[in-house]
Amino acid sequence: MRHIEELLEQEVARGGIAGGNVICVQDGKEIFYHEAGYCDIERKLPIHRDTIFRLYSMSKPITSAAVMLL
């Protein structure tokens, strides 16, 4: 899981993304959570566990997940 933390931190540092958070759940229990960067760069507002993200073009990932389940 350390690799995921480092990757997220590196992407924020190099400007690839403004910020993000990652959660991994196994058997209904949270086993990993990490957040990095900002939800609003101009106001320097950091990302938190309850930050709301706008998601666009979600039909492809949802369709892909459904196909994998089949």
Side-chain angles (χ1 to χ4, degrees), residues 18-19 36-48 51:
Y38 298 102
C39 61
D40 187 331
I41 296 174
E42 293 175 358
R43 296 189 300 175
K44 299 289 188 203
L45 296 175
I47 288 179
H48 297 289
T51 298

Side-chain angles (χ1 to χ4, degrees), residues 4-13 17-23 32-41 45-49 51 53:
I4 296 172
E5 288 179 22
E6 291 171 359
L7 182 62
L8 188 58
E9 296 286 346
Q10 287 172 2
E11 284 301 304
V12 169
I17 59 173
N21 56 6
V22 178
I23 188 169
F32 174 77
Y33 176 80
H34 185 70
E35 60 196 29
Y38 298 102
C39 61
D40 187 331
I41 296 174
L45 296 175
I47 288 179
H48 297 289
R49 184 176 284 264
T51 298
F53 294 91

Side-chain angles (χ1 to χ4, degrees), residues 2-3 5 8 14 16 22-23 27-28 33 36 38 40 42-44 46 50 56-58 60 64 69:
R2 188 78 179 139
H3 179 69
E5 288 179 22
L8 188 58
R14 78 173 188 86
V22 178
I23 188 169
D27 298 324
Y33 176 80
Y38 298 102
D40 187 331
E42 293 175 358
R43 296 189 300 175
K44 299 289 188 203
D50 62 349
Y56 299 96
S57 188
M58 286 302 299
K60 292 178 196 84
S64 299
L69 289 173

